[in-house]
Amino acid sequence: MVTLTTVTDSANRADPASRSDRGEQTRTAIAAAAQELFLERGYDKTTMRAVADRAGVSIGNAYYYFASKEHLVQAFYDQIQVAHAAAAEQSLASSDKFGDRLRSVLTTWVDVAEPFHGFAGKFFKIAAEPTSPLSPFSSESRGARETSIGLFRQVVDGSDLKVPAAIRAELPELLWLLQMGVVLFWVHDSSTDQKRTRALVRQVVPLVDKLVRLSRLPGMRGVVGDVVELIRSVRP
Amino acid sequence: MVTLTTVTDSANRADPASRSDRGEQTRTAIAAAAQELFLERGYDKTTMRAVADRAGVSIGNAYYYFASKEHLVQAFYDQIQVAHAAAAEQSLASSDKFGDRLRSVLTTWVDVAEPFHGFAGKFFKIAAEPTSPLSPFSSESRGARETSIGLFRQVVDGSDLKVPAAIRAELPELLWLLQMGVVLFWVHDSSTDQKRTRALVRQVVPLVDKLVRLSRLPGMRGVVGDVVELIRSVRP
DNA sequence: AGAGAAACTTGAACACGTTCAAATGGGACG
DNA sequence: CGTCCCATTTGAACGTGTTCAAGTTTCTCT
């Protein structure tokens, strides 16, 4: 059984120190009940009434802590993120080759996310809506996004990679986008143990490695500049 | 006001010629009512009861023709696709430069899709779920997908582009993926008239053009082979 | 301790997507 | 014409996410 990572939404609760956490236990109980039920029967077949029941609270109380049923999946997002950061950090210690580091961070994600692949579709659907706070591009998830980008910065910084400074600066964000692409593929991947996603990672990493190193070639200067310029101008 | 493109779902109705189309009018009326209401008040505020009312049928009847509320947005998908094909075909006549052709097909899409940007988020959310027939990757939308890829094949085939055959064969599909990326950006683009998406297209097209032409360079052979191999092995 | 405020809790009520058993309509065939 | 069959149509009923007015508990301040 997967354990719950309690993530207090510090953006919403202003003063964690002085504020009593009387309600935190309830909040956690509700999130835990939701996780259990989602894993047991999936998102659709889990009713808010069942979540409230298992958490031992009233249905109205569940809505006091979570604005909607969709908000209950935030806990998964957080949990995967935390577990990935820990596992990736671990694996990054073993090599300073860029390709190795990138591959291990990406495959680590697939490992960590595996238990949730069953309802990844629902998860994805909820995060897809641009107005959703769970969207990976939303301002609400900026913290999580920057943590994730930071992980890719570690991949680059701790590596043997020698590339133009302009590329080096943008690379973490580009690699995060690559990760989003992997997630997209993973969500659609119905092969056992997500074999195909793992194969994708194995294949795409050497290609990225090659492309990035190619950026040092004199003839590539123009392209590199264009890419950097594109990213700059496209960022909000 | 946008007019409705009637798209009979020929996959579901086996024998269009001999089967009486008594019900086709009803089906069309329901789809038209849904379109109007979606545009007037958005997806969420449009109830199935309101759709049925405006179409002059009972609510149960609406469900006889459309399996769910989500299925009602299929009509938009079809309509945009048809309008895009027509407008793009038109604009393709004006140049044989690859960059021009690609740019006009992509900007044409932004033009055609503009009226629907308001509830593009909902549209996107619905299409995001991997199990949804509306997903761009689903088997149900294979026809639409192939039509769209065919459009990019026209972009390539009618152009002055000289590239290795292996790349040329895969290019339409890659450009379709680029289009999906543009759509993703567009959905999140809240600038007026989707200026930022248009800017993205203007910037990304020359870059793609440059990259594709670069594929002829001897040093690129390896990379090209890798890319082609990646696509091959990743396709289901 | 007591009063008042703030945090928390409750469950009935509501809205809307969806289902379904039953009614209606019309075409084919005798 | 009668009758059988199948497509179509109906609206009441159901399940579930969500809201809300009212209650209860805990904290704070004097």
Side-chain angles (χ1 to χ4, degrees), chain A residues 111-134:
Chain A
D111 291 338
V112 163
E114 180 156 4
F116 310 103
H117 188 265
F119 62 91
K122 282 290 166 350
F123 177 92
F124 190 67
K125 176 179 186 174
I126 292 167
E129 196 171 19
T131 57
S132 167
L134 277 78

Side-chain angles (χ1 to χ4, degrees), chain A residues 70 121-122 124-126 128-130 135 137 184-185 187-188 196 200 203-204 207 210-211 214 220 222-223 226-227 229-230 233-236, chain B residues 70 121-122 124-126 128-130 135 137 184-185 187-188 196 200 203-204 207 210-211 214 220 222-223 226-227 229-230 233-236:
Chain A
E70 295 196 347
K122 282 290 166 350
F124 190 67
K125 176 179 186 174
I126 292 167
E129 196 171 19
S135 164
F137 305 105
L184 175 63
F185 189 88
V187 165
H188 285 83
R196 303 193 59 239
L200 170 68
Q203 281 214 278
V204 87
L207 179 55
K210 194 183 282 192
L211 281 172
L214 239 41
M220 289 295 149
V223 176
D226 289 350
V227 170
E229 176 57 29
L230 177 67
S233 75
V234 137
R235 210 182 338 236
Chain B
E70 296 197 348
K122 281 290 165 352
F124 189 66
K125 177 180 186 173
I126 292 166
E129 196 170 18
S135 163
F137 305 105
L184 176 62
F185 189 88
V187 165
H188 285 83
R196 303 193 60 238
L200 171 68
Q203 282 214 278
V204 87
L207 179 56
K210 194 183 280 192
L211 281 172
L214 239 40
M220 290 295 150
V223 176
D226 289 350
V227 170
E229 177 56 28
L230 177 66
S233 76
V234 137
R235 210 181 339 237

